[in-house]
Amino acid sequence: MFGARCLVRALRSCSSAPCPRHKPSARLSVRDALGAQNTNGERVKVQGWIRSVRSQKDILFLHINDGSALESLQVVADSSFDSRELAFGSSVEVQGQLVKSPSKKQNVELKAEKIEVVGNCDAKDSGFVHIHTPIITSNDCEGAGELFQVEPSSKIKVPEENFFNVPAFLTVSGQLHLEVMSGAFTQVFTFGPTFRAENSQSRRHLAEFYMVEAEISFVESLQDLMQVMEGLFKTATTIVLSNCPEDVDLCHKFIAPGQKDRLGHMLKNNFVIISYTEAIEILKQSSQNFTFTPEWGVDLYTEHEKYLVKHCGNIPVFVINYPLALKPFYMRDNEDGPQHTVAAVDLLVPGVGELFGGSLREERYHFLEQRLARLGLTEAYQWYLDLRRFGSVPHGGFGMGFERYLQCILGIDNIKDVIPFPRFTHSCVL
Amino acid sequence: MFGARCLVRALRSCSSAPCPRHKPSARLSVRDALGAQNTNGERVKVQGWIRSVRSQKDILFLHINDGSALESLQVVADSSFDSRELAFGSSVEVQGQLVKSPSKKQNVELKAEKIEVVGNCDAKDSGFVHIHTPIITSNDCEGAGELFQVEPSSKIKVPEENFFNVPAFLTVSGQLHLEVMSGAFTQVFTFGPTFRAENSQSRRHLAEFYMVEAEISFVESLQDLMQVMEGLFKTATTIVLSNCPEDVDLCHKFIAPGQKDRLGHMLKNNFVIISYTEAIEILKQSSQNFTFTPEWGVDLYTEHEKYLVKHCGNIPVFVINYPLALKPFYMRDNEDGPQHTVAAVDLLVPGVGELFGGSLREERYHFLEQRLARLGLTEAYQWYLDLRRFGSVPHGGFGMGFERYLQCILGIDNIKDVIPFPRFTHSCVL
């Protein structure tokens, strides 16, 4: 990245050129372009991604970001430059004059003389099919006990008789249903409410919350899965920052000063990857006094998650390969030892802790059969086992807590403040 | 609309012109253009709405529809014609040569020489804010008894103690929560699961189904509301037909022959509006032997709904102004008499019956207060009454059953066939 001094030099040399069109333009980062003090129409070149497009009768406005700053650079172009390829997310190289902006919203803007699309961005290409997984289910995906049961209201219920013939619960995850659909559609996702009857008053838990869950067939490594997860976090955040800058600024200004920089830091760095075993080592070597002593085979607590994120420079951290005994039956056996692990991945983010959870799924019939048998779940999950008998494929997926995601990008401390009608133990207002 | 004979004449006169560029082109409907037998590069003009855009390196494909046919006309243009204004839903006038198409997908296509955008279409302009209304609620929106109650699973429940302190249910409608939000956002909608513990094995009912619900502030007449409802039905259907033609064709070809024409008939006609009182008169004068005798003050049954739709020429029918005694407390009193009605509206569609239900809401404090008092609901709905004490506005809204909508456009007889994991009495598979 150019430093501010370097920038001024570049601009000066540029402005002194007698025939700027034939001289190669100085390449500037968005940050340096935004910070330019003397703008006398120097010719520069900026490379980055389009964050917004506004097309008017005679004029075209683009906002370009390259990750060097949270703000974008405004590019003003003649409408003849307009084309369908100048879409949100496309990468471009813009050459033109850096001038003082007539608007109060920004100091400088780039008057485009040449716009080259480096890489197209057609958002429809991602190819994930949206599935509505059911809310009422006869499964208990996590094997946990924190389920809400559903029955017709006591006024109309016939005692000792189930409406659905079997006990029915509110879903804790759409994963198993997504796995059914991923066997036909390859890449699927769901976005909907999920439920936990957790007796928790914490700032990170709700009884009713939303999850984005995705399931991808023919995925064979956690690396591929983590790439999708990191891409989802960064793309979604870029879109939010681009489409609702006023809303985000309001939170950053009045609720979470400094959050803007923290978020920029997360967006411009590659997320860190460490194994669960490495995480335990880091925690053990720490001088911090934890309430819960870190130990291999025991789950990470919030205090541990927060320490790990800080230790990794306040960049989101993927923790992979957890002990088999800690995770549900459907996660893929790594067949290692003596510390036996599964191909699980959690993403920990600053301020919030666990944001994503995911894994490769156990696609091998005999491995899954043995796990279910050991847990006494063979009969209940016969249909799930059948998915491995007919056209089984390596696959994996993940879920992201939506309210925690909002907490993370807006810097809001209490999860009850990012949902209009929060439901938690002792409270169901309206 | 031009007849086929008229078309051939127009084409002939056009093709015989020595200097076609200076002669006004013959205006053709899409239906007539598609049906043209002799295409020798005649110059024609077609007006309609863009249903799809495909932009390639050197060439631009548009599909134009004007309601005269369910199929669209393919327009092929040089990529220099491409502009952001050529978007889905924009109205255009295209002049060019009608030629035989090299593709097997269609007989003819229009080689564009001039494309004029008549009216822009920026889909973001509708201005409805998407709200996630809660699934678990302490209200019973319809005042009906068919509620599912929610409690932690019997394994972990403390008897006689409510998790939420109050009895909690699965939502039957997001309306009341939308009304809260419409007091700040003016136009809001939700799309999510709703629940009824109905002991029904019919082809039109599910225990878990999806609804699109909208609430609009500052709406003072049912006319305005019906315009939004009709627009939603027609726009959504046009988008589905445009984006997923193969999926729709599959259903139309193998499951519901004739449905394509029936749907085209619904799309190109204005929906019919009759009052509940007129509906009862029509039913009474019918020679059909109904199982349930139609009578003022009694609800319409499926057999009545089907008769009314048929009577109105198989076009969707709005039935408005229902008896006050039949409808929930929140619907606006028409202050008429002696047959006392409320400003309610249901939309009945061919094959399915009731698809939408809506109303103006009672925004007048004293009217609502009295209705609640008579029903013994004052205490439970104090918060709702408060919405009329502080900044009350005339408003109204509606809900559309999503699976019934799919039944209607695809021609699928059983609602269990349009949802991947149907839930109904005695069944909760997976």
Side-chain angles (χ1 to χ4, degrees):
Chain A
M1 197 193 299
F2 285 73
R5 209 172 291 177
C6 186
L7 155 80
V8 175
R9 217 179 305 141
L11 288 178
R12 277 195 191 137
S13 74
C14 208
S15 67
S16 63
C19 182
R21 271 184 197 257
H22 296 101
K23 199 172 182 290
S25 308
R27 185 173 160 261
L28 289 190
S29 72
V30 166
R31 174 182 286 273
D32 290 341
L34 290 169
Q37 296 301 319
N38 302 307
T39 47
N40 300 312
E42 301 84 351
R43 277 186 173 73
V44 299
K45 177 162 73 180
V46 172
Q47 298 168 320
W49 289 265
I50 298 178
R51 280 218 176 155
S52 80
V53 184
R54 199 150 42 90
S55 171
Q56 295 186 352
K57 201 175 156 48
D58 299 318
I59 204 158
L60 175 72
F61 293 99
L62 303 175
H63 285 94
I64 308 293
N65 195 288
D66 63 356
S68 64
L70 209 60
E71 296 97 306
S72 299
L73 175 67
Q74 173 157 301
V75 171
V76 184
D78 185 274
S79 62
S80 65
F81 281 101
D82 200 4
S83 94
R84 197 173 296 278
E85 287 188 314
L86 294 180
F88 175 82
S90 293
S91 54
V92 288
E93 181 176 296
V94 185
Q95 293 188 43
Q97 283 181 293
L98 203 60
V99 298
K100 198 168 154 53
S101 173
S103 156
K104 281 181 188 163
K105 285 193 186 164
Q106 59 267 324
N107 271 329
V108 296
E109 59 188 31
L110 182 59
K111 254 181 92 177
E113 289 164 356
K114 186 178 171 192
I115 303 179
E116 192 182 323
V117 176
V118 178
N120 264 319
C121 180
D122 183 350
K124 285 176 287 186
D125 285 359
S126 63
F128 277 81
V129 177
H130 188 167
I131 306 286
H132 285 121
T133 51
I135 307 301
I136 302 176
T137 172
S138 46
N139 296 313
D140 163 11
C141 180
E142 301 276 328
E146 290 153 348
L147 285 172
F148 283 110
Q149 193 155 356
V150 175
E151 273 299 320
S153 151
S154 47
K155 289 177 214 158
I156 55 167
K157 192 192 164 184
V158 181
E160 308 306 320
E161 200 179 278
N162 285 313
F163 181 88
F164 295 108
N165 284 18
V166 291
F169 309 99
L170 294 185
T171 184
V172 295
S173 160
Q175 179 201 320
L176 301 190
H177 300 97
L178 280 186
E179 283 191 69
V180 174
M181 306 310 270
S182 76
F185 293 105
T186 313
Q187 298 192 118
V188 292
F189 80 100
T190 188
F191 177 53
T194 47
F195 306 85
R196 305 278 160 96
E198 247 172 323
N199 195 345
S200 166
Q201 292 283 357
S202 93
R203 292 163 170 267
R204 308 193 310 150
H205 292 90
L206 290 167
E208 172 177 334
F209 61 98
Y210 277 75
M211 274 216 283
V212 181
E213 295 178 271
E215 201 68 31
I216 310 165
S217 289
F218 303 100
V219 154
E220 299 196 44
S221 79
L222 282 182
Q223 301 294 332
D224 292 342
L225 214 53
M226 288 187 282
Q227 207 176 321
V228 180
M229 292 157 84
E230 184 166 343
L232 174 61
F233 181 92
K234 289 185 172 173
T235 310
T237 306
T238 306
I239 293 175
V240 170
L241 291 174
S242 156
N243 288 3
C244 333
E246 298 88 357
D247 307 67
V248 176
D249 281 351
L250 187 82
C251 295
H252 287 180
K253 196 168 168 189
F254 293 105
I255 299 168
Q259 184 66 12
K260 196 172 181 170
D261 291 337
R262 285 193 289 271
L263 194 56
H265 184 65
M266 292 186 227
L267 288 178
K268 76 179 173 208
N269 283 290
N270 290 326
F271 292 2
V272 178
I273 304 173
I274 58 173
S275 70
Y276 167 85
T277 304
E278 286 167 334
I280 294 293
E281 280 311 305
I282 292 166
L283 294 169
K284 279 187 168 173
Q285 280 162 26
S286 142
S287 57
Q288 191 169 316
N289 259 335
F290 295 113
T291 312
F292 298 94
T293 310
E295 201 178 331
W296 205 98
V298 178
D299 225 341
L300 299 177
Y301 286 83
T302 306
E303 56 175 349
H304 303 146
E305 294 173 355
K306 289 195 169 165
Y307 181 85
L308 288 170
V309 169
K310 213 170 158 186
H311 177 86
C312 295
N314 289 310
I315 296 164
V317 185
F318 289 111
V319 180
I320 62 173
N321 299 332
Y322 281 75
L324 178 137
L326 285 182
K327 293 289 184 182
F329 65 86
Y330 48 72
M331 295 196 175
R332 195 176 198 275
D333 194 333
N334 279 332
E335 296 179 81
D336 50 359
Q339 295 186 319
H340 199 166
T341 66
V342 287
V345 52
D346 281 356
L347 179 68
L348 315 178
V349 297
V352 171
E354 185 191 337
L355 178 64
F356 284 74
S359 77
L360 298 182
R361 316 308 187 189
E362 185 55 82
E363 88 281 11
R364 296 163 295 184
Y365 184 85
H366 292 294
F367 277 82
L368 188 61
E369 190 186 30
Q370 284 169 30
R371 291 270 279 286
L372 286 170
R374 268 200 296 276
L375 296 163
L377 293 171
T378 307
E379 202 188 338
Y381 287 94
Q382 194 60 52
W383 67 268
Y384 185 72
L385 203 49
D386 279 352
L387 296 177
R388 274 67 180 170
R389 290 182 63 200
F390 308 107
S392 183
V393 284
H395 65 290
F398 58 82
M400 178 183 85
F402 183 66
E403 289 80 8
R404 287 190 184 176
Y405 169 71
L406 292 180
Q407 282 187 276
C408 173
I409 64 166
L410 299 175
I412 291 181
D413 190 42
N414 195 326
I415 197 165
K416 299 176 188 79
D417 293 331
V418 292
I419 187 167
F421 303 98
R423 274 81 180 91
F424 50 99
T425 177
H426 308 307
S427 179
C428 182
V429 179
L430 307 197
Chain B
M1 197 193 298
F2 286 74
R5 209 172 295 177
C6 187
L7 155 80
V8 175
R9 217 180 305 141
L11 288 180
R12 276 193 194 136
S13 76
C14 209
S15 67
S16 64
C19 183
R21 271 184 196 260
H22 296 100
K23 200 172 181 290
S25 309
R27 185 176 160 258
L28 289 190
S29 72
V30 167
R31 173 183 288 274
D32 291 341
L34 289 171
Q37 296 301 319
N38 302 308
T39 47
N40 299 311
E42 301 83 351
R43 277 191 172 70
V44 301
K45 177 161 74 181
V46 172
Q47 298 168 320
W49 290 266
I50 298 178
R51 280 217 178 159
S52 80
V53 184
R54 200 149 44 89
S55 172
Q56 296 185 351
K57 199 173 157 49
D58 299 318
I59 205 159
L60 176 72
F61 294 99
L62 303 175
H63 284 95
I64 309 292
N65 195 288
D66 63 356
S68 65
L70 208 60
E71 295 96 307
S72 300
L73 176 67
Q74 173 157 301
V75 172
V76 185
D78 184 275
S79 62
S80 65
F81 281 101
D82 199 5
S83 93
R84 198 173 296 278
E85 286 186 315
L86 295 180
F88 175 83
S90 293
S91 54
V92 288
E93 181 176 295
V94 184
Q95 295 189 42
Q97 284 181 292
L98 204 60
V99 297
K100 196 167 157 47
S101 173
S103 157
K104 280 181 187 164
K105 284 193 185 163
Q106 60 268 323
N107 270 328
V108 295
E109 59 186 32
L110 183 58
K111 255 180 91 175
E113 289 165 355
K114 188 179 170 190
I115 303 178
E116 194 182 321
V117 176
V118 179
N120 263 321
C121 179
D122 183 349
K124 284 176 288 184
D125 284 359
S126 64
F128 277 81
V129 177
H130 188 167
I131 306 286
H132 285 121
T133 51
I135 306 301
I136 302 177
T137 171
S138 47
N139 295 312
D140 163 12
C141 179
E142 301 275 328
E146 290 154 346
L147 285 172
F148 283 109
Q149 193 155 355
V150 176
E151 274 299 321
S153 153
S154 46
K155 289 179 216 159
I156 55 167
K157 193 191 164 183
V158 181
E160 308 305 319
E161 199 177 278
N162 286 314
F163 181 87
F164 295 109
N165 285 16
V166 292
F169 310 99
L170 294 186
T171 185
V172 295
S173 159
Q175 179 201 319
L176 301 190
H177 300 98
L178 281 186
E179 283 191 70
V180 174
M181 305 311 270
S182 76
F185 292 104
T186 314
Q187 298 192 118
V188 291
F189 80 101
T190 189
F191 177 53
T194 49
F195 306 85
R196 305 280 160 95
E198 247 171 323
N199 195 346
S200 165
Q201 291 283 357
S202 93
R203 292 164 170 267
R204 308 193 311 150
H205 292 89
L206 290 167
E208 172 177 335
F209 61 99
Y210 277 75
M211 275 218 281
V212 180
E213 295 179 90
E215 202 66 33
I216 310 165
S217 289
F218 303 101
V219 153
E220 298 196 46
S221 79
L222 282 182
Q223 302 295 331
D224 291 341
L225 214 52
M226 287 186 283
Q227 208 176 319
V228 180
M229 290 157 84
E230 185 167 342
L232 173 60
F233 181 92
K234 289 184 171 173
T235 309
T237 306
T238 307
I239 293 175
V240 170
L241 291 174
S242 155
N243 287 2
C244 334
E246 297 88 359
D247 307 68
V248 176
D249 282 350
L250 186 82
C251 295
H252 286 180
K253 195 168 169 190
F254 294 105
I255 300 168
Q259 183 66 12
K260 195 173 182 169
D261 291 337
R262 287 193 287 272
L263 194 58
H265 184 66
M266 294 186 225
L267 287 179
K268 76 180 172 207
N269 284 289
N270 289 328
F271 292 1
V272 178
I273 303 173
I274 59 174
S275 72
Y276 167 86
T277 305
E278 286 167 336
I280 294 293
E281 280 311 307
I282 291 166
L283 293 169
K284 278 187 168 170
Q285 281 163 27
S286 143
S287 58
Q288 190 168 316
N289 259 336
F290 294 113
T291 311
F292 299 93
T293 311
E295 202 178 329
W296 205 99
V298 178
D299 226 339
L300 299 176
Y301 286 84
T302 306
E303 56 176 349
H304 303 146
E305 294 173 354
K306 289 195 171 168
Y307 181 86
L308 289 169
V309 170
K310 214 171 158 186
H311 177 87
C312 294
N314 288 311
I315 296 164
V317 185
F318 288 112
V319 180
I320 62 173
N321 298 332
Y322 280 75
L324 177 137
L326 285 182
K327 293 289 184 184
F329 66 86
Y330 50 72
M331 295 197 175
R332 194 175 198 275
D333 194 333
N334 278 332
E335 295 180 83
D336 50 358
Q339 294 185 319
H340 199 165
T341 65
V342 287
V345 53
D346 281 357
L347 179 67
L348 315 179
V349 297
V352 171
E354 185 191 336
L355 177 65
F356 283 77
S359 78
L360 298 182
R361 316 308 186 188
E362 185 56 83
E363 88 282 10
R364 297 163 296 184
Y365 184 85
H366 293 294
F367 277 81
L368 188 62
E369 190 185 29
Q370 283 169 31
R371 290 269 280 287
L372 286 171
R374 268 200 296 278
L375 296 164
L377 293 171
T378 308
E379 202 188 337
Y381 288 95
Q382 195 58 51
W383 68 268
Y384 185 71
L385 203 49
D386 279 351
L387 296 177
R388 275 66 179 169
R389 292 180 63 199
F390 309 106
S392 184
V393 286
H395 65 291
F398 58 82
M400 177 183 85
F402 183 66
E403 288 80 8
R404 288 190 183 176
Y405 168 71
L406 291 180
Q407 283 187 278
C408 173
I409 62 167
L410 300 176
I412 290 181
D413 190 42
N414 195 326
I415 197 164
K416 298 176 190 78
D417 294 331
V418 292
I419 187 167
F421 304 96
R423 273 81 180 89
F424 51 97
T425 176
H426 307 308
S427 178
C428 182
V429 179
L430 307 196

